[in-house]
Amino acid sequence: MKFVDEFRDAGVIHKAADEIRRLADLGRQYRFMEVCGGHTHAIYRFGLKDILPPNIDLVHGPGCPVCVLPMGRIDDGLSIAKGPNVIFTAFGDMMRVPGREGSPLEHKARGMDVRIVYSPSDALKLAQKNPDKHVLFFAIGFETTAPSTALTLMRAKALGVTNFSVFCNHVTIIPGIRAILDSPDMRIDAFIGPGHVSTVIGCRPYEWVARNEGKPIVVSGFEPVDVLQAVVMLLRQLKAGEAKVENQYKRVVPWEGNRAALKAMAEVFELRSYFEWRGMGFISQSALRIRDTYKDWDAEHRFAVPGVRVTDPKAAQCGEVLKGVLKPVQCKLFGKECTPERPVGALMVSSEGSCAAYYNYEHRKHETLTRIGAAV
Ligand code: SF4
């Protein structure tokens, strides 16, 4: 398959691994943060960790939008849906994420009208088909998904669909990276930059990371060859004493981003002063709110939102894992109280969550090997 097979070619993978071994200074320990949860899954799924030299540590970052959402926002969205004649809609990723009184799916089991949609425009169509109901779309995501929410709100306004609103939880990637770099317990040498977000924002917004923080950043794709090439590019920069932004994912990411998408976002959204990130606290200008010109479609304007604040269970270490301070397996609840079947934190259920990646690819592999070993 074009753009897949050549990025999974064993010969190219071995060449890249050889180049990494040649470039990595054995007397030095490297810590590279992959910002995006999609990279974390690729790293575990394809076993990339196992072919890197032991002195290169890949640290998982905060680039999973479901994971960074605090539990209180889930409760806030569900509290709106408790009202009469409301249909709660969200992406499938959100459905098993626990709020204080259970996940959206658990609320559905108790009788709430909860539906999975594949896009915000599906939610809008649902509103058009159900004029006697109010359809609430629980919007999450970084700049990757924010443009589709913006375009849907523009369409709702143009069509005059009034039984539709958005509970906006869109966050922006750059303040998240900034918060990681400001964290006193964090040491990162360089970043594997997020591929999906960058299709919208381009590469230019990362220039401050290189310029002000002296950290190389390489925007990367999600296939094994992409990630290994990104590591090669980072090592080359570090060897040369450079810190710049490079684009490994040129086949998808334009340097200047997607102008049409950015325009739609600017039309509909503005920055919030502060927004809470799970485990990372309140980060200034790190999230989007709906502009007053679209307030009739803003659930936070139309409904009384309780503004629930919930602290995570004491033993859960989602914040430390999100910041890359701990590996998933170092959380006290990993694989015991917290599993994909019975998640405590969103990192264990989201398709981009690092705990889910580690559990599904590493933990299960070890379990299987142990079983085979026991049987032999
Ligand atoms: S194992 Fe569960 S509780 Fe621990 S960090 Fe991961 S999601 Fe959070």
Side-chain angles (χ1 to χ4, degrees), residues 316-318 321 328 331 333-334 338 344-348 355:
Q317 292 175 289
C318 306
V321 175
C331 170
L333 305 187
F334 182 89
C338 186
V344 174
L347 287 77
M348 193 52 101
C355 296

Side-chain angles (χ1 to χ4, degrees), residues 8 33-34 70 202 206 222 235 241 267 278 326 341:
R8 295 183 183 178
M33 174 173 274
E34 83 273 3
Y206 304 113
F222 297 91
L235 287 169
E267 157 75 18
R278 180 174 228 148
L326 292 184
E341 291 75 31

Side-chain angles (χ1 to χ4, degrees), residues 167-179:
F167 185 59
C168 183
N169 297 284
H170 286 299
V171 281
T172 55
I173 194 71
I174 297 293
I177 297 177
R178 202 185 290 265

Side-chain angles (χ1 to χ4, degrees), residues 238-279:
L238 289 170
K239 204 173 183 75
E242 293 174 333
K244 58 188 180 187
V245 182
E246 290 186 282
N247 185 5
Q248 183 280 333
Y249 205 21
K250 282 186 187 144
R251 65 187 187 278
V252 175
V253 173
W255 187 267
E256 297 295 340
N258 181 330
R259 287 178 200 277
L262 292 169
K263 194 171 165 213
M265 282 169 62
E267 157 75 18
V268 173
F269 299 121
E270 60 190 8
L271 284 173
R272 288 178 194 263
S273 314
Y274 283 94
F275 192 76
E276 187 183 1
W277 291 45
R278 180 174 228 148

